[in-house]
Amino acid sequence: MLCLGTMAFAQQIVLSGKVTDQEGTPLPGATIVETGSAKKNGTTTSIEGAFTLRITSRQITVRSMGYEPQTVNIGTNHSIVVKLADNNSQMNEVVVVGYAKQKKITNTGSIATISGKELRQSPAASIQNSLAGRLPGLFQQQTSGQPGKDAANIYIRGVSSFAGNSNSPLVIVDDVEYQYAQLNQLDPNEVESISILKDAATTAIYGIKGANGVIVITTRRGKEGPAVITIRTEAGLQMPTILRKSLDSYQSLLLMKEQAINSGQDPNSVYPGLVSDAALEHFRLGDDPFRYPNVNWYDQVMKDNAVQLRNNIDISGGTSSLRYFISAGSIYQNGILKDVDRKEDFNNNYYLKRYNIRSNVDLDVNKNLSLKLDLSTRFSEINEPYLPDPMGGGALPFWRRISSGLLGPWVYPVRNADGSYGGVKGGSLNPVGALEYGGYKRNYSNDLNLNLSAEHKLGFITEGLSLKGVVAYTNKSEFNRQLTRERFPVYTMIPSTGVLDPVYPELLRIEPLVRGNGTYESPFRRLNFQAILNYSRQFGQHNVYGLVLTNRTGDIKGSDAPGNFQGYAGRLGYNFKSRYLIEFNAGYNGSDRFKAKNRFGFFPAISGGWNISEEPFFKDNIKVINYLKFRGSYGTVGSDEVKGNRYLYDEVYEVAGGGYYFGESPTGQPKVTPGTLGNNDVRWEKERKANIGIDMKLFNSKLEITADYFDHLRYDILTAMETVPGYTGLSLPPVNIGRVSNKGFELELNHRNAVNDHFQYFVRANASFARNKILFRDEPFSVAPNLKKTGRPVGQLYGYISEGFYNDEADIANSPKVAGKLVKPGDLKYRDVNGDGIIDGNDISPIGKPETPELTYGFSAGFSYKDFDFSFLLQGAARSSISSNTLLQIGNSNGIPAAIHQKRWTPETRDVAEYPRLGGVSFDASTFWLRPADYLRLKNVELGYHLPKLFTQRLRLKDVRFFASGLNLLTFNKLKIYDVDPESKRGSVEAYQNYPQMKIVNFGLQVTF
């Protein structure tokens, strides 16, 4: 018996090993069971994926949630590595949360993620523009296409504050806070993934900075293996999505003449020499273009297209202990203005030149200590033309100038018969001449970011414990230079004599260009320190994890007082069998923007989840659903973005002009006067966030569904007290009294399928809806109920309610009287809202939808067949309004006659008219002028082709891919007759004021060595 026992003991094997996924990432909590063991002999892996097990048989089975189980036969090697394959029936993806990573299967927060590979499908120069339509919960509005300044405004789950503070999200890159302005400077080639954190469970750890949501960016890192070199080069053409189209001089002047007559003016006095029958005939025939010009100023100053060039090279690889990713990139965007001939050598077109360099290095000093050194820098140069206009009242922005009545096609020719530039006294300066002589303004920006971190595993204290320290430094500097000229000779032709009369008779020659003194913007420096204690450990089927961190940031801009932020945060989570999930997050942090007693705040959040699909009753009975998780969260976060003086608790004193006079010969001395009063109780805004969500996979995980409902309450919003009358003479500080409710839902669908080895396809769709309402803001008691902002959305439009046109004098007599205006047939009729028989300001009411869309959505699809791949993205927005009451005026600085004005009201067209009578008094904001800003864009298209492996192997290359892509290729909307892009800036005439929105056709080549 002793011999037999000794033999049995001798047959036992002490097996050790490691369990990882296909990428080599350790899998903690995986179970290893000896096959056929009657006593179920087994163990689980540590946080590093390691295990040790004593077995007597020669076979084990390895399992981990989200992966295919694997049976392993044990040979002579008793130290093994087991790589498990993904099981697509589970959510095995990893998502980035605050200062950590989590598997989707155990995540209880609301997160949307996009990979860097998807971002690089878009030829957009700014990351914000590449994100549009791809992520649920992301609202965006791109108001300009100017190179270097074309980034869309981004809001996570809409707008929650009305105080004029920034609603922009917090930006985190590799766990370090970036300025929001730095987001559009990142090169998409550097990005591994982008996540948006939307609820309290994911943002509470950022505390006082998390109320507007968080964008978390992870940059690419090297992987073990030989060096891989990728070169990517692209060239594209930019073209305006839409341009303002005016009528020609003859048609325009007919309308202008009619407008003058209708308004009781003599048209020959208003437009001398332009609207007589003889003059109009010359305009119609075009037989004398110098006296009777017909100029399309857009055509004169704009090219058909402009070039965009982008180049990238990156190198990645490394050993098991040292890994690296190095990237360098450049982008050049030229402007759309024409290159006019000039004798002076300067470039006054719009353009962007940007160079990006990044180096991410990972070093494993030993099995417990790892270091990361990330260095990134960006150099950018943004050029703008200097386009002077010394007209009375100041110059209009250039794009509005060339679309206004000041530069109608009839005003003056580009050049007179002798080659001199045309002009008119008291009018706007010749735009083509401004391109030749005006000069430029240029901004140079250098941005350096250094991130050094060290992580040490503290397994000697307890398994799963580690300590991480981070030191991050940012240095941003800017330099401006300009070379400008204010005027140049222009001449106006006297129609009766044909004599050229100088507009500036005192200007005898072309003035020299003036070089402005180069100005340095105050440099911005930020130093950030972090210390993070992490813990994660598996106890059988129980998993416990958490972290505690401290975070301190100091900002210095020039000689300004430094801004300091100090924070502490924690996370504690538990799950059982990845089935029952609970997590606590909290931030305790503060800012020196507030007095000591209000400096720090506590921002807690709790979240939970239930993977019901892991329940035996569900697994055994419901086969169509492979994965189903319910989750919810509730908590509070804050925002320290306050408007105005940095320290609102300080009373402000100002040095006023005029001063006091003293002495026998009175000499003025400056005087100090009280300014804005201080608010000793000022504090940050707060937001209570509640969220419930569901994650589901069906039909063998071919269809994924994610849905969320959220209820956010922003309170303690800083706002001015309007109930204090102005006659008190006080300049009051903002106080924390405002409240806004913001509710909505999000839905995301994802279907992916591999038909066979050659053909795969995908279909994705997402929709986001957010509606806000002001619950309270301090308003004067005398304000009529229909004019109050409380109870309305943020950005609500106000105006009269239109009831059509006055048809005749009898209609006017039988309608309420209009205060202060003489209305005639063809003018707009408004509703008497308060029923007092008078149409005045008390009848103004909330009209239309808010300026920010309440609904955004996206739909994308694509396929790959052998060496070909194709994808497209449709992106849209709905439930927002734009008012065209000032956009469609003519005869002033707002606009010029267009096709819509030919559909004006006349006695003959009163039943079909789409525009009031010319010369009327109908330009108050009203429902008549409201237009839906809904749109649908073909946002992105990409077609690619990989050279067959047979050819690339002969060339000793890993891969060669040719591709073509497009941005904003088609836009469907209801504003085309107004020549307005649906994402244009809202309000007044600003829709025509910015650089046109661009579409891009792009071609590229990517080679991997």
Side-chain angles (χ1 to χ4, degrees):
M1 291 178 63
L2 180 62
C3 292
L4 289 173
T6 303
M7 292 174 61
F9 182 80
Q11 291 175 348
Q12 287 187 341
I13 298 171
V14 178
L15 180 67
S16 63
K18 189 175 183 179
V19 180
T20 72
D21 62 13
Q22 293 296 306
E23 300 293 329
T25 303
L27 295 178
T31 59
I32 298 93
V33 179
E34 182 180 3
T35 306
S37 171
K39 296 183 179 180
K40 294 186 178 179
N41 178 35
T43 187
T44 59
T45 58
S46 67
I47 187 66
E48 293 87 10
F51 70 91
T52 301
L53 180 66
R54 189 182 296 273
I55 63 174
T56 56
S57 66
R58 293 279 177 169
Q59 194 176 70
I60 60 170
T61 300
V62 183
R63 290 185 174 86
S64 182
M65 178 169 287
Y67 298 88
E68 295 286 352
Q70 187 177 146
T71 300
V72 181
N73 295 316
I74 308 302
T76 58
N77 183 10
H78 297 166
S79 180
I80 63 174
V81 175
V82 181
K83 289 189 174 183
L84 299 183
D86 288 354
N87 179 351
N88 289 328
S89 66
Q90 305 297 336
M91 281 192 170
N92 199 45
E93 303 97 315
V94 173
V95 294
V96 179
V97 295
Y99 305 102
K101 293 182 179 180
Q102 290 181 354
K103 286 186 178 181
K104 274 190 176 181
I105 197 170
T106 58
N107 172 58
T108 56
S110 182
I111 301 176
T113 301
I114 184 175
S115 68
K117 182 179 179 181
E118 291 178 83
L119 279 180
R120 290 185 282 277
Q121 292 177 343
S122 170
S126 300
I127 281 183
Q128 290 98 315
N129 302 338
S130 301
L131 290 173
R134 297 184 183 272
L135 295 173
L138 191 72
F139 293 73
Q140 68 288 316
Q141 185 181 8
Q142 183 183 353
T143 59
S144 172
Q146 180 181 337
K149 298 183 179 181
D150 63 345
N153 298 317
I154 284 183
Y155 311 103
I156 294 178
R157 290 185 164 174
V159 174
S160 294
S161 179
F162 60 79
N165 304 334
S166 171
N167 281 282
S168 301
L170 176 68
V171 177
I172 301 292
V173 180
D174 292 332
D175 289 338
V176 175
E177 180 183 350
Y178 271 41
Q179 290 180 298
Y180 179 77
Q182 291 177 285
L183 181 58
N184 73 314
Q185 299 172 8
L186 288 175
D187 189 337
N189 192 61
E190 302 175 7
V191 175
E192 179 68 29
S193 68
I194 295 181
S195 298
I196 60 171
L197 314 183
K198 300 179 282 188
D199 67 338
T202 54
T203 61
I205 202 165
Y206 297 102
I208 204 172
K209 294 178 177 290
N212 296 324
V214 185
I215 296 179
V216 179
I217 300 175
T218 302
T219 59
R220 298 169 67 183
R221 313 201 73 83
K223 297 180 181 179
E224 181 180 348
V228 176
I229 303 174
T230 301
I231 298 175
R232 183 182 175 104
T233 181
E234 303 172 57
L237 295 176
Q238 309 167 79
M239 295 155 283
T241 57
I242 193 167
L243 290 176
R244 195 165 195 185
K245 298 180 289 292
S246 67
L247 299 176
D248 62 26
S249 294
Y250 173 70
Q251 295 173 311
S252 296
L253 287 169
L254 285 177
L255 297 177
M256 302 297 290
K257 181 178 182 178
E258 180 180 328
Q259 176 170 276
I261 294 172
N262 288 348
S263 60
Q265 298 175 299
D266 179 5
N268 292 303
S269 298
V270 179
Y271 307 106
L274 296 176
V275 292
S276 66
D277 292 342
L280 288 172
E281 183 64 13
H282 284 300
F283 278 117
R284 187 183 70 83
L285 296 174
D287 55 1
D288 191 350
F290 300 110
R291 284 187 176 87
Y292 308 100
N294 180 28
V295 181
N296 184 318
W297 289 107
Y298 274 107
D299 289 346
Q300 294 297 324
V301 301
M302 292 182 62
K303 298 183 289 190
D304 293 331
N305 52 67
V307 173
Q308 174 177 298
L309 304 174
R310 192 201 303 258
N311 295 283
N312 290 97
I313 180 171
D314 58 73
I315 308 171
S316 64
T319 65
S320 59
S321 59
L322 177 63
R323 297 165 300 281
Y324 56 87
F325 171 81
I326 302 172
S327 172
S330 69
I331 185 168
Y332 170 69
Q333 276 187 307
N334 197 18
I336 200 70
L337 295 181
K338 282 186 175 179
D339 300 317
V340 301
D341 293 332
R342 62 173 65 89
K343 297 178 181 179
E344 296 154 314
D345 185 18
F346 63 82
N347 185 346
N348 70 334
N349 203 345
Y350 294 91
Y351 69 72
L352 163 69
K353 297 178 182 178
R354 191 180 69 220
Y355 306 92
N356 295 65
I357 301 173
R358 174 172 289 275
S359 170
N360 289 352
V361 178
D362 299 80
L363 173 63
D364 296 331
V365 179
N366 53 46
K367 66 177 183 179
N368 291 320
L369 177 62
S370 60
L371 303 176
K372 291 182 179 180
L373 176 60
D374 299 348
L375 178 65
S376 65
T377 185
R378 290 171 287 280
F379 308 96
S380 68
E381 179 181 327
I382 298 176
N383 198 75
E384 300 181 17
Y386 182 73
L387 302 167
D389 195 6
M391 62 174 290
L396 295 175
F398 181 72
W399 297 102
R400 179 182 165 193
R401 199 185 311 168
I402 64 174
S403 64
S404 75
L406 302 177
L407 273 173
W410 63 87
V411 177
Y412 53 76
V414 178
R415 290 184 183 272
N416 296 305
D418 65 350
S420 63
Y421 279 113
V424 62
K425 291 185 177 181
S428 191
L429 196 59
N430 191 304
V432 178
L435 289 181
E436 178 176 355
Y437 294 116
Y440 63 84
K441 291 184 176 181
R442 192 168 298 163
N443 171 267
Y444 300 89
S445 176
N446 301 329
D447 193 350
L448 172 69
N449 296 273
L450 175 67
N451 187 350
L452 176 63
S453 65
E455 184 171 9
H456 199 288
K457 297 175 182 177
L458 303 177
F460 61 89
I461 299 177
T462 184
E463 185 180 338
L465 188 66
S466 65
L467 177 64
K468 181 180 179 181
V470 178
V471 178
Y473 175 72
T474 294
N475 189 314
K476 183 177 181 181
S477 59
E478 294 185 57
F479 175 74
N480 298 299
R481 63 172 296 179
Q482 63 183 39
L483 193 65
T484 61
R485 177 186 283 116
E486 293 297 333
R487 296 187 304 173
F488 51 89
V490 291
Y491 299 86
T492 184
M493 178 182 287
I494 301 174
S496 59
T497 63
V499 174
L500 294 178
D501 185 24
V503 173
Y504 308 114
E506 73 281 6
L507 191 63
L508 303 178
R509 61 183 179 85
I510 297 177
E511 296 174 335
L513 285 163
V514 178
R515 184 176 64 183
N517 294 326
T519 59
Y520 286 92
E521 295 287 336
S522 299
F524 172 83
R525 299 185 299 277
R526 169 175 288 167
L527 190 59
N528 176 238
F529 297 96
Q530 299 176 22
I532 306 173
L533 187 66
N534 266 299
Y535 179 73
S536 180
R537 190 168 179 181
Q538 191 84 21
F539 299 93
Q541 301 296 333
H542 305 270
N543 178 249
V544 179
Y545 61 94
L547 66 80
V548 177
L549 72 87
T550 179
N551 184 3
R552 182 176 179 86
T553 302
D555 295 345
I556 300 177
K557 184 173 176 61
S559 60
D560 295 347
N564 295 298
F565 167 85
Q566 176 72 52
Y568 307 91
R571 175 183 292 126
L572 179 63
Y574 165 80
N575 67 72
F576 174 69
K577 292 185 177 181
S578 297
R579 186 183 303 171
Y580 309 111
L581 321 167
I582 189 168
E583 185 175 290
F584 298 92
N585 286 272
Y588 178 74
N589 45 36
S591 165
D592 65 358
R593 306 192 74 166
F594 312 106
K595 261 199 167 180
K597 66 177 181 178
N598 289 329
R599 189 157 292 167
F600 283 83
F602 181 61
F603 305 94
I606 183 172
S607 59
W610 180 24
N611 280 316
I612 189 174
S613 55
E614 293 303 310
E615 299 286 357
F617 73 85
F618 195 99
K619 279 186 174 181
D620 298 338
N621 297 289
I622 304 177
K623 303 297 183 182
V624 69
I625 300 178
N626 312 108
Y627 178 83
L628 178 60
K629 178 175 69 177
F630 298 103
R631 52 182 166 77
S633 65
Y634 185 90
T636 304
V637 286
S639 173
D640 66 343
E641 289 290 335
V642 297
K643 184 180 180 182
N645 178 27
R646 176 177 175 82
Y647 304 111
L648 292 177
Y649 56 82
D650 278 343
E651 185 170 351
V652 176
Y653 291 86
E654 300 170 345
V655 178
Y660 299 103
Y661 291 85
F662 299 95
E664 294 181 2
S665 299
T667 303
Q669 300 295 328
K671 62 181 178 182
V672 176
T673 59
T676 304
L677 298 178
N679 177 2
N680 287 326
D681 294 321
V682 67
R683 56 192 181 276
W684 52 86
E685 296 182 0
K686 302 186 185 75
E687 182 160 298
R688 186 266 296 148
K689 294 177 181 280
N691 189 94
I692 57 174
I694 182 173
D695 302 318
M696 183 187 306
K697 288 193 176 187
L698 305 90
F699 312 120
N700 294 323
S701 298
K702 293 180 179 178
L703 176 62
E704 301 177 29
I705 301 175
T706 300
D708 283 88
Y709 171 80
F710 64 89
D711 182 348
H712 295 176
L713 174 65
R714 182 74 66 96
Y715 58 101
D716 284 351
I717 297 174
L718 281 164
T719 182
M721 294 189 67
E722 298 179 15
T723 51
V724 178
Y727 57 71
T728 61
L730 298 175
S731 181
L732 298 172
V735 291
N736 297 95
I737 56 174
R739 293 164 63 88
V740 172
S741 170
N742 184 26
K743 301 178 182 180
F745 65 84
E746 297 153 4
L747 178 65
E748 184 176 22
L749 306 176
N750 191 352
H751 172 58
R752 186 182 296 274
N753 189 28
V755 178
N756 52 45
D757 292 340
H758 299 301
F759 183 73
Q760 300 85 35
Y761 69 91
F762 74 88
V763 178
R764 298 193 193 102
N766 70 80
S768 306
F769 178 82
R771 173 174 291 168
N772 61 62
K773 182 170 71 172
I774 299 173
L775 300 181
F776 177 79
R777 64 177 297 166
D778 198 52
E779 299 184 84
F781 300 116
S782 59
V783 174
N786 51 302
L787 295 177
K788 284 187 177 293
K789 296 179 180 179
T790 299
R792 319 291 186 197
V794 177
Q796 173 68 59
L797 299 175
Y798 289 82
Y800 293 100
I801 299 175
S802 172
E803 296 186 325
F805 302 112
Y806 290 109
N807 290 322
D808 48 37
E809 293 294 344
D811 191 3
I812 295 174
N814 294 326
S815 300
K817 294 183 179 180
V818 180
K821 292 182 180 179
L822 177 62
V823 295
K824 294 182 178 180
D827 287 331
L828 291 179
K829 182 196 303 184
Y830 302 132
R831 181 180 301 173
D832 182 12
V833 173
N834 62 0
D836 63 357
I838 299 175
I839 304 298
D840 56 17
N842 293 319
D843 296 304
I844 295 175
S845 304
I847 57 175
K849 303 297 180 184
E851 295 179 348
T852 302
E854 293 182 331
L855 175 66
T856 63
Y857 54 91
F859 176 84
S860 61
F863 69 87
S864 62
Y865 176 72
K866 293 185 178 180
D867 295 320
F868 290 92
D869 60 87
F870 173 77
S871 65
F872 71 89
L873 168 67
L874 294 170
Q875 177 259 330
R879 299 187 66 81
S880 70
S881 299
I882 186 171
S883 181
S884 59
N885 58 310
T886 52
L887 302 180
L888 297 182
Q889 294 180 23
I890 60 175
N892 54 25
S893 61
N894 290 339
I896 49 180
I900 182 64
H901 299 101
Q902 293 179 318
K903 301 181 179 182
R904 67 206 180 279
W905 187 97
T906 66
E908 296 76 26
T909 63
R910 69 181 190 178
D911 295 328
V912 295
E914 297 181 19
Y915 189 89
R917 73 180 180 98
L918 298 176
V921 290
S922 301
F923 288 104
D924 293 303
S926 72
T927 54
F928 178 86
W929 299 110
L930 279 184
R931 299 295 182 269
D934 305 358
Y935 69 90
L936 174 65
R937 288 194 196 277
L938 181 56
K939 190 68 178 180
N940 197 74
V941 177
E942 185 181 54
L943 173 66
Y945 172 69
H946 293 266
L947 278 183
K949 294 294 183 183
L950 179 64
F951 292 101
T952 56
Q953 289 173 356
R954 289 180 180 179
L955 297 171
R956 297 186 179 181
L957 300 173
K958 287 191 174 182
D959 183 55
V960 176
R961 180 174 182 262
F962 299 91
F963 60 92
S965 57
L967 179 76
N968 293 339
L969 295 183
L970 295 173
T971 303
F972 305 94
N973 64 89
K974 298 180 179 180
L975 297 171
K976 289 187 176 180
I977 195 169
Y978 310 110
D979 302 327
V980 175
D981 189 276
E983 288 189 82
S984 298
K985 193 172 182 179
R986 308 288 197 262
S988 186
V989 293
E990 293 173 330
Y992 296 137
Q993 192 157 299
N994 287 348
Y995 190 102
Q997 176 82 276
M998 291 285 120
K999 56 184 174 184
I1000 301 175
V1001 177
N1002 187 64
F1003 300 91
L1005 169 66
Q1006 179 172 299
V1007 181
T1008 304
F1009 298 87

